Amino acid sequence: MSEFSPLRRKILLGSAATAGLSLFPTLSFALQFEESPRKLALNNLHTGEELQTEYFNGRSYQNIELAKLNHLCRDFRRNESIEMDKRLFDQLSAIQNVIGCDTQVQIISGYRSPATNEMLSAKSGGVAKKSLHMLGKAMDFRLEGVPLAEVRKAALSLKAGGVGYYPGSNFVHIDTGRVRFW
């Protein structure tokens, strides 16, 4: 019986690990981050509010900064906020890393109350009745000065959740649901 050489064993184990991680996109996405600070500059286009934040200091999420992000991403129509899924902010940060920019994130929609979502759904066929926006798990945005197609491509490459492309409305949708695209 032949023995595996140490190099061959490492190659086989590495291939198996890579294949295994591809079955778990969220885990694979999480491994892309180094334990370094994560910063974002954001602008809520409906309220005009801006925020520059370091929401992760390299060791832990910063609750005060997350609270500021939750407020910025609130349903501006009803002035209601919810705890947003921090993985959305990680996705934004990762999208910027893939593109190689740190330009301002322009938020079109973060949290939507059920009442707001119902009103928007009645006006447009493009609004899901059970939208992840109502759970704080979705965001519609664009990156200042970055072509929308490039933002979409970067978001898709992460395989970290849903990605919607709306060039007619000039935004990309990301969420922390299952991996899918439209």
Side-chain angles (χ1 to χ4, degrees):
M1 182 182 280
S2 67
E3 291 184 30
F4 285 109
S5 72
L7 177 59
R8 186 171 179 196
R9 183 175 289 127
K10 286 181 183 178
I11 290 170
L12 287 172
L13 288 173
S15 297
T18 301
L21 283 176
S22 69
L23 298 174
F24 302 100
T26 304
L27 180 59
S28 180
F29 166 70
L31 292 176
Q32 293 181 32
F33 282 111
E34 296 177 24
E35 293 303 314
S36 59
R38 296 178 206 147
K39 301 176 184 181
L40 290 170
L42 306 102
N43 176 5
N44 184 316
L45 294 179
H46 295 287
T47 65
E49 296 166 298
E50 294 185 347
L51 175 65
Q52 290 191 8
T53 180
E54 182 179 295
Y55 69 95
F56 183 83
N57 69 5
R59 293 178 308 284
S60 62
Y61 289 95
Q62 303 301 294
N63 290 332
I64 292 172
E65 296 304 309
L66 290 173
K68 291 176 186 177
L69 286 164
N70 293 338
H71 180 74
L72 185 73
C73 294
R74 73 190 180 281
D75 179 340
F76 71 92
R77 291 172 181 89
R78 300 181 59 89
N79 200 31
E80 293 177 17
S81 63
I82 192 173
E83 185 176 322
M84 299 294 290
D85 188 335
K86 57 187 162 236
R87 294 176 298 167
L88 283 172
F89 307 122
D90 289 342
Q91 283 185 43
L92 290 172
S93 183
I95 288 166
Q96 289 186 321
N97 286 341
V98 168
I99 294 170
C101 74
D102 61 357
T103 188
Q104 189 178 67
V105 177
Q106 298 177 331
I107 300 169
I108 287 95
S109 181
Y111 170 65
R112 280 191 216 136
S113 69
T116 294
N117 199 73
E118 186 178 328
M119 179 267 300
L120 292 173
S121 181
K123 288 183 178 180
S124 168
V127 176
K129 290 184 182 187
K130 294 186 178 183
S131 173
L132 290 174
H133 285 276
M134 294 188 298
L135 301 174
K137 295 177 181 268
M139 182 179 295
D140 301 335
F141 74 102
R142 60 182 169 248
L143 295 177
E144 185 179 49
V146 179
L148 204 61
E150 192 173 338
V151 175
R152 174 184 183 255
K153 183 179 175 183
L156 288 170
S157 76
L158 298 176
K159 296 183 172 105
V163 177
Y165 183 54
Y166 298 91
S169 299
N170 195 24
F171 70 84
V172 170
H173 165 100
I174 58 171
D175 64 52
T176 59
R178 63 182 170 78
V179 176
R180 66 212 186 287
F181 61 90
W182 60 94

